[in-house]
Amino acid sequence: MRMNDYVIYYKGLNDTHQFGTGFAVHKNLLSSVKEFNPISERVCTIKLNTKPMNMFIINIHAPTENKDEIDKDEFFEEVATIYDEAPGNTIKIKVGDCNAKLGKEPSFRPTIEMHSVHEISNNN
C-alpha cells in the first residue's frame, strides 16, 4: 500500500491526523465518493455511489468508559440519529473505535471463548 495512492478524508483536532476520524479512499475509487461529512473529531460519514446499492459509512471514535455518562449518552444518541437519518435505499455501515471491552461473560463465549483480556464488559 502506497499512501500516495490514497486520498485522505479526515476531521480531527489538528492537521497531524491524530485523534480524529476519517477515510482513506484509493484514487481508483474517487469517482464513487458522493459526499464526505466531517461532523466532529469523533464522527464523520461518507456516501459512496456503488452497485447494486449505494453505501453510507459512519466512522466513529467513541468516548472511553471513564468519560462522563452524559457525554457518552449524547455521543451514542448522535450516532443513532445519523444512522436513522441516512437514506433508506443505501447499505449502512458503522465502523471505528467504540472503545468497547468485551469480557469473559458467558454470553460472549460462543464468539470469543475465554480469549478476552477483560474480565467484564464495559457499557460501550
Side-chain angles (χ1 to χ4, degrees), residues 89-103:
N89 60 343
T90 61
I91 297 168
K92 301 177 193 180
I93 302 171
K94 286 189 274 187
V95 298
D97 185 353
C98 293
N99 278 308
K101 295 179 183 176
L102 292 180

Side-chain angles (χ1 to χ4, degrees), residues 45-104:
T45 66
I46 195 167
K47 292 180 184 176
L48 303 172
N49 285 329
T50 55
K51 294 186 183 201
M53 294 179 67
N54 292 335
M55 295 176 70
F56 180 79
I57 305 171
I58 305 169
N59 189 351
I60 67 171
H61 181 197
T64 58
E65 185 66 11
N66 61 353
K67 297 291 185 188
D68 182 69
E69 287 297 320
I70 293 172
D71 292 340
K72 290 190 299 182
D73 289 345
E74 287 174 356
F75 171 80
F76 284 110
E77 286 175 20
E78 176 185 35
V79 172
T81 299
I82 293 165
Y83 185 89
D84 290 343
E85 291 177 353
N89 60 343
T90 61
I91 297 168
K92 301 177 193 180
I93 302 171
K94 286 189 274 187
V95 298
D97 185 353
C98 293
N99 278 308
K101 295 179 183 176
L102 292 180
K104 297 179 182 177

Side-chain angles (χ1 to χ4, degrees), residues 4-44:
N4 59 351
D5 289 340
Y6 292 83
V7 172
I8 305 296
Y9 293 87
Y10 172 79
K11 171 70 174 180
L13 294 178
N14 54 43
D15 61 0
T16 63
H17 294 173
Q18 295 179 0
F19 189 74
T21 57
F23 300 93
V25 178
H26 194 276
K27 289 181 178 179
N28 291 345
L29 301 174
L30 285 180
S31 63
S32 297
V33 176
K34 184 175 179 182
E35 178 185 342
F36 171 68
N37 187 5
I39 297 165
S40 71
E41 70 275 359
R42 290 195 177 274
V43 181
C44 67

Side-chain angles (χ1 to χ4, degrees), residues 101-106 108-109 114 116-121:
K101 295 179 183 176
L102 292 180
K104 297 179 182 177
E105 293 99 330
F108 297 116
R109 288 185 189 150
M114 295 298 288
S116 177
V117 297
H118 310 288
E119 292 299 320
I120 59 171
S121 300

